[in-house]
Amino acid sequence: MELIAECPMIADYLSDAKRVTEGPYGEIRVRKDYSYIQEKFWRPGLVLAGDAACFIDPVFSSGVHLATYSALLAARSINTALRGAGEAEETALFEEFELRYRQEYARFHDFLVAFYDKHSDEQSYFWKAKKVTGSAASEVQSFVDLVGGGSSDERALLDAGSYLDRRDGDIDDMIWQVAEAGARIQVQAATGSTEDEQIPIRAGGLVPSPDGLHWSVPTQV
């Protein structure tokens, strides 16, 4: 009541209001996590990006990253849909957007829950970052990748110049594809698998196109 009285405008607005004093809403409570997430991130003709879709306590300035990342994902879905995708294909495009955005949000949220744990020490934060990202890197590097917005392995955010370079000309694009193919073969030969951006994050999922502007069906799964 003292705080309300300090602001005449608020005091005026609440002059006829009566505060609830009984039941759960009449209790004085503290809410330390005010994060939220929408039940659905898109509808035909509508996409929610940034805080419109979900919000998390910006302890590590995650808001800018999530807004930028969701805008990138949404742009890919919109670009591809404008090519004349049918209703079923359009659904798949925006499901890809929502799934990837939810996954990135979940990483920050799960880490934030651990951050609020007063019984955690410095090392446990690094370990939790490694766990929520599923990274093969060290605990410290996983922490850096997470708070720096690099855990999504999104090349368009981590190395935007590579996309621009590949779009400069057909020759440059061809050289890049040859180099990439050679690197992929070497990785497959050495490890028996490929660690590539062209691997979908779910069965039947999509991957970024070579220029990063659209979604495409992966050539290999």
Side-chain angles (χ1 to χ4, degrees):
M1 297 303 295
E2 290 177 354
L3 291 174
I4 292 174
E6 290 179 4
C7 184
M9 183 174 66
I10 297 299
D12 181 54
Y13 286 158
L14 298 178
S15 60
D16 295 327
K18 182 179 180 181
R19 187 175 69 84
V20 176
T21 57
E22 299 178 353
Y25 294 104
E27 301 173 359
I28 301 298
R29 298 175 295 172
V30 175
R31 183 168 184 172
K32 62 183 181 179
D33 181 5
Y34 48 95
S35 306
Y36 61 79
I37 185 168
Q38 300 286 2
E39 294 181 359
K40 186 73 175 176
F41 287 7
W42 71 278
R43 289 282 189 272
L46 172 69
V47 176
L48 301 179
D51 290 350
C54 50
F55 174 81
I56 192 169
D57 189 354
V59 174
F60 297 104
S61 301
S62 55
V64 173
H65 166 66
L66 291 175
T68 304
Y69 183 56
S70 62
L72 169 68
L73 300 177
R76 281 185 185 145
S77 299
I78 294 170
N79 282 347
T80 311
L82 290 177
R83 284 180 166 179
E87 183 176 342
E89 185 179 353
E90 184 173 317
T91 297
L93 295 174
F94 287 97
E95 285 180 346
E96 189 71 30
F97 150 77
E98 179 165 340
L99 180 65
R100 287 177 180 257
Y101 192 23
R102 283 185 180 275
Q103 177 178 274
E104 190 73 353
Y105 170 87
R107 287 171 175 162
F108 281 96
H109 182 272
D110 292 348
F111 182 76
L112 185 67
V113 171
F115 182 81
Y116 282 140
D117 185 357
K118 295 182 179 179
H119 300 290
S120 298
D121 58 19
E122 177 183 312
Q123 293 302 316
S124 67
Y125 295 140
F126 298 149
W127 175 84
K128 184 64 177 180
K130 180 178 176 66
K131 182 178 180 181
V132 300
T133 59
S135 175
S138 67
E139 286 86 350
V140 174
Q141 185 59 48
S142 298
F143 174 82
V144 172
D145 289 342
L146 177 65
V147 301
S151 63
S152 64
D153 292 327
E154 177 56 65
R155 191 181 301 169
L157 296 180
L158 300 177
D159 186 16
S162 66
Y163 280 126
L164 296 176
D165 293 341
R166 277 182 281 165
R167 294 169 56 198
D168 281 343
D170 293 338
I171 295 179
D172 289 342
D173 186 53
M174 179 181 67
I175 294 174
W176 184 92
Q177 290 184 29
V178 171
E180 183 188 49
R184 184 183 298 117
I185 293 173
Q186 293 181 43
V187 172
Q188 287 177 316
T191 65
S193 63
T194 177
E195 295 183 5
D196 197 326
E197 193 181 31
Q198 299 304 307
I199 299 177
I201 64 173
R202 59 169 175 163
L206 304 172
V207 295
S209 60
D211 63 6
L213 300 179
H214 303 84
W215 293 117
S216 60
V217 177
T219 55
Q220 58 181 3
V221 178

